[in-house]
Amino acid sequence: MLVDGIIFSDESLFATDESSKALEQVANVATLPGIVKASFAMPDIHWGYGFPIGGVAAVREEDGFISPGGVGFDISCGVRLLKTSMIASEIEPDLKSLMHELSRNIPKGLGRKGKISLNQSELEEVLDKGIEWARKRGFASKDETNRIEESGRLAGADPGAVSKRAFDRGASQLGTLGSGNHFLEVQEVTEIFDSASAKAFGIFKGQLMVMIHSGSRGLGHQVCTDYVKVMDGVVKRMGLTLPDRQLASAPIASPEGRNYYGAMAAAANYAMVNRGLLAFWAKESFESTFSATAKEMGIELLYDVSHNLAKFEEHVVDGKQMKLCVHRKGATRAFGPSLLPKDSPYKEIGQPVMIPGDMGRASYVLLGTEESEERAFSSTCHGAGRVMSRTQAKKSIGLDQLRKDLEERGVIVLAGQKSTLAEEAPGAYKDVDRVTLVCEGAGLSRRVAKLRPLGVIKG
Amino acid sequence: MESEKKESRPRPFEVIEHTADVGIIGYGGDLKEVFENTAIGMFSLITELNAVSKDLEIQVEVEAEDVEGLMVAWLNELIYLFETKGVLFKEFDILELSEEGLRAVARGEELNPIKHEIKTEIKAATYHMLKVESEKERLKSRVIFDV
């Protein structure tokens, strides 16, 4: 280990991690060449492949290594939150028809193709320009750009470093939700923890919100697959021994490292456009259900941020300003005011961080603070974190019990793949209340609002 | 977390648990059979294979630097073919196999949403905990998938 492993947790959360392989993975990440400060784990940490999920590692730009496994297969998987000016309790009679309209309008699940089909050069433009492409095509408005991480376009994207196979997988999947833990939820704000920040974000109790959780689909998965193989070759050539082959990495400055970064950034741009399209169709569904314009319903983007990404950022380490490549795998960037760009609408208070919980309980909006900079390179948790394997969840919870449970909680769930719905049952996850409380207690981020799911669209 | 059931009766494959993801242990009398059974195991995670016919045939060729890398490359190639051609595979014939390459025929049916339910979307086969090894008289693989 080149640096320490630091895990943010509390007694009860840690009890489920203690015996897990996730801790070993925190130690493994601490061997990544060029790593500084520590190999960090957020309170929602769980066993992944290579890196733990909930892992944060920053390496020096000049001599560090970049690892596709430190980003994950779903490059720029992330969350987009739309706010409305509507009161959740007032739309209750129309909730069912809204959910059915959303379900009809949002392509989801596997085997469902997107509603738009792009040729190679258009897809290259998506990968190069990100949300700028969506704006040009009328899928995003100008005022949205500064409400997206990196203004909706991650610099350094190189569509030329993306394989034909990745293009093949991504061509028909742009604007699709995907399956597994991805979702679109209609939510109600049930609790405000920090009224000044909530006010600055335009969040109030009882408000109707729309949360979208999706990523870069098959395109990103293939970019990761391709480059893990490439870097596996680099590791072999350099004669390195890794504690886990999935930790394959290459010097950032090497052709392989540069190509991976270019391809990863391109996949991130695809992911941001993907969430943008899903949001556009969600807005359309609101308009047709309520026979009103998005503007009349006050539908606006709060923020879009990813939780699987490696990025070049400047941070202070041991009192020294350093250029770093920060890997966040299942961890969210939580910038305080000083790190946000000048044109950010959140420059005064810090960045909103959206934490999707599970479909029965709750999700959160947190705030990036100056203090989070001092903890783990301005990173916080990304979700509740799994405690139960998928098979275990299906066996011990079961579809019928889940249905009953969600019905009692008053949550409408529309799922493409019913047989695996139980894998995502609330009991399969850690308690998101506790996870976010630990984040606040540790100074990683501050709680602003809690949101309750009313309706869920699953792949 | 991980539970590898020990049984005396030879089975083509077993599903292993992993907190976020899922894995397959494939068995076989020889290396070809291990590659075939691991692939069947992977597609059994994706869909109910009893509902899949084998009318369609696709040739597959893969290369890698070693036998374990070849297993990952083989499974990732099948995921790629499934996603881009929409074919669910249920039967595999490995025609040629060395440590660095294989040539095979995969048979299955085009995905039909009315007939087939997709149980799990598999993003990729990973190198995490990857093994292809001999165990008693048979060979065995272990692959963790990102789902």
Side-chain angles (χ1 to χ4, degrees):
Chain A
M1 283 172 75
L2 300 168
V3 290
D4 287 343
I6 296 178
I7 298 159
F8 296 96
S9 194
D10 72 3
E11 264 179 30
S12 91
L13 291 173
F14 193 70
T16 64
D17 302 322
E18 212 166 0
S19 56
S20 94
K21 290 204 163 69
L23 301 194
E24 199 180 305
Q25 295 186 320
V26 175
N28 289 346
V29 171
T31 65
L32 193 66
I35 188 167
V36 297
K37 208 163 165 179
S39 159
F40 289 106
M42 301 296 115
D44 54 333
I45 182 184
H46 56 277
W47 183 25
Y49 40 82
F51 271 59
I53 296 163
V56 176
V59 296
R60 287 183 298 268
E61 192 182 329
E62 68 270 21
D63 65 344
F65 278 43
I66 188 165
S67 173
V71 172
F73 285 90
D74 199 356
I75 295 167
S76 184
C77 181
V79 182
R80 176 177 271 242
L81 186 62
L82 306 176
K83 53 185 182 178
T84 76
S85 57
M86 299 159 97
I87 311 294
S89 58
E90 287 174 7
I91 66 114
E92 211 147 322
D94 298 313
L95 184 63
K96 240 188 192 152
S97 45
L98 172 66
M99 293 316 294
H100 282 284
E101 182 59 16
L102 283 165
S103 178
R104 199 188 56 74
N105 210 7
I106 302 285
K108 58 186 181 298
L110 201 68
R112 262 298 291 276
K113 292 198 167 158
K115 302 205 287 193
I116 51 167
S117 173
L118 302 184
N119 62 30
Q120 176 74 16
S121 72
E122 279 178 300
L123 201 52
E124 277 176 24
E125 204 183 327
V126 169
L127 299 192
D128 179 23
K129 301 212 164 94
I131 220 73
E132 250 181 77
W133 172 88
R135 241 176 64 192
K136 211 175 86 186
R137 289 282 300 259
F139 291 113
S141 62
K142 204 178 166 193
D143 60 341
E144 278 182 17
T145 314
N146 60 5
R147 293 164 189 267
I148 305 171
E149 184 181 15
E150 300 297 320
S151 301
R153 183 188 188 183
L154 188 53
D158 179 6
V162 176
S163 70
K164 183 188 171 296
R165 325 188 116 230
F167 273 102
D168 288 348
R169 276 176 84 172
S172 64
Q173 293 184 358
L174 188 64
T176 63
L177 190 60
S179 64
N181 59 3
H182 294 151
F183 65 73
L184 181 146
E185 278 186 14
V186 173
Q187 305 172 332
E188 175 185 16
V189 178
T190 54
E191 216 174 324
I192 302 284
F193 302 96
D194 170 354
S195 49
S197 304
K199 201 175 166 204
F201 288 164
I203 297 177
F204 57 89
K205 201 172 166 181
Q207 188 178 15
L208 192 72
M209 309 285 259
V210 183
M211 187 178 274
I212 295 165
H213 178 209
S214 188
S216 53
R217 315 288 295 113
L219 184 131
H221 308 163
Q222 190 65 37
V223 165
C224 185
T225 296
D226 292 340
Y227 282 96
V228 171
K229 193 175 177 186
V230 167
M231 294 196 182
D232 184 56
V234 173
V235 168
K236 229 176 208 180
R237 261 200 336 266
M238 294 180 78
L240 305 171
T241 335
L242 300 179
D244 179 345
R245 199 167 168 184
Q246 188 64 31
L247 287 168
S249 56
I252 295 171
S254 68
E256 292 87 354
R258 278 200 303 268
N259 285 341
Y260 168 67
Y261 189 83
M264 182 215 65
N269 288 340
Y270 177 101
M272 290 188 278
V273 170
N274 190 40
R275 288 191 289 274
L277 289 170
L278 296 170
F280 180 81
W281 292 319
K283 264 188 241 176
E284 264 187 7
S285 307
F286 267 75
E287 288 179 328
S288 60
T289 305
F290 297 106
S291 305
T293 63
K295 203 174 169 195
E296 284 166 345
M297 292 177 279
I299 303 177
E300 271 177 25
L301 176 60
L302 179 79
Y303 206 58
D304 184 307
V305 67
S306 79
H307 47 234
N308 281 358
L309 211 54
K311 276 170 56 186
F312 292 109
E313 294 171 5
E314 284 194 28
H315 291 278
V316 178
V317 182
D318 300 328
K320 234 175 73 190
Q321 187 84 5
M322 286 182 91
K323 278 192 165 180
L324 302 169
C325 177
V326 185
H327 297 73
R328 294 188 183 91
K329 181 187 180 187
T332 319
R333 191 196 77 170
F335 275 1
S338 64
L339 290 173
L340 286 172
K342 280 192 193 82
D343 69 339
S344 169
Y346 308 116
K347 184 69 188 157
E348 298 293 311
I349 55 161
Q351 168 215 318
V353 179
M354 287 81 69
I355 306 301
D358 60 69
M359 63 178 158
R361 293 184 288 201
S363 292
Y364 276 82
V365 177
L366 311 177
L367 173 76
T369 64
E370 293 301 344
E371 201 186 358
S372 50
E373 161 78 357
E374 291 156 27
R375 296 292 178 274
F377 309 110
S378 299
S379 312
T380 190
C381 68
H382 88 303
R386 284 195 87 89
V387 279
M388 232 184 243
S389 76
R390 290 166 200 269
T391 336
Q392 216 181 338
K394 267 191 285 192
K395 264 187 225 151
S396 68
I397 300 165
L399 192 56
D400 291 340
Q401 197 200 319
L402 173 67
R403 277 228 174 90
K404 215 179 123 219
D405 184 29
L406 292 171
E407 209 170 284
E408 275 167 14
R409 291 173 198 254
V411 185
I412 300 171
V413 179
L414 300 173
Q417 298 163 35
K418 293 193 176 56
S419 68
T420 48
L421 194 59
E423 292 178 1
E424 297 299 320
Y429 286 89
K430 289 181 185 176
D431 181 356
V432 71
D433 291 343
R434 205 167 257 283
V435 169
T436 48
L437 197 62
V438 170
C439 287
E440 184 168 283
L444 296 167
S445 52
R446 212 159 65 214
R447 292 175 306 160
V448 176
K450 183 174 175 174
L451 303 92
R452 170 177 85 95
L454 302 173
V456 185
I457 310 278
K458 278 278 191 192
Chain B
M1 300 284 163
E2 182 196 1
S3 65
E4 294 179 35
K5 289 175 211 139
K6 290 199 175 74
E7 286 182 22
S8 53
R9 191 167 55 90
R11 303 206 315 194
F13 66 85
E14 280 169 29
V15 177
I16 49 173
E17 294 188 20
H18 179 282
T19 314
D21 298 306
V22 65
I24 288 287
I25 293 185
Y27 297 104
D30 59 21
L31 207 52
K32 283 183 180 176
E33 210 183 344
V34 177
F35 272 72
E36 289 163 1
N37 285 339
T38 312
I40 295 170
M42 179 176 82
F43 275 94
S44 79
L45 296 173
I46 297 175
T47 194
E48 181 48 65
L49 287 180
N50 288 331
V52 178
S53 72
K54 42 183 181 185
D55 305 338
L56 225 133
E57 205 176 273
I58 290 185
Q59 308 279 334
V60 187
E61 273 189 61
V62 203
E63 284 173 8
E65 292 189 14
D66 54 57
V67 71
E68 288 175 342
L70 189 63
M71 176 62 86
V72 166
W74 156 244
L75 298 170
N76 279 331
E77 179 68 14
L78 295 172
I79 292 168
Y80 165 76
L81 290 170
F82 164 56
E83 271 197 28
T84 53
K85 302 202 187 302
V87 182
L88 289 162
F89 297 108
K90 69 176 301 184
E91 195 181 88
F92 307 90
D93 272 333
I94 310 275
L95 307 172
E96 277 173 41
L97 178 67
S98 70
E99 291 238 324
E100 286 95 27
L102 72 75
R103 206 164 58 78
V105 168
R107 290 183 202 92
E109 184 186 359
E110 206 168 310
L111 171 67
N112 173 353
I114 299 161
K115 195 176 157 196
H116 308 123
E117 194 194 5
I118 299 299
K119 295 192 289 182
T120 308
E121 181 181 29
I122 295 185
K123 293 173 188 155
T126 75
Y127 291 99
H128 177 54
M129 292 171 54
L130 176 66
K131 280 255 185 296
V132 178
E133 60 188 0
S134 55
E135 183 194 71
K136 292 176 192 159
E137 281 96 60
R138 58 182 183 169
L139 287 160
K140 172 179 161 181
S141 72
R142 181 178 66 194
V143 185
I144 305 288
F145 300 96
D146 182 359
V147 297

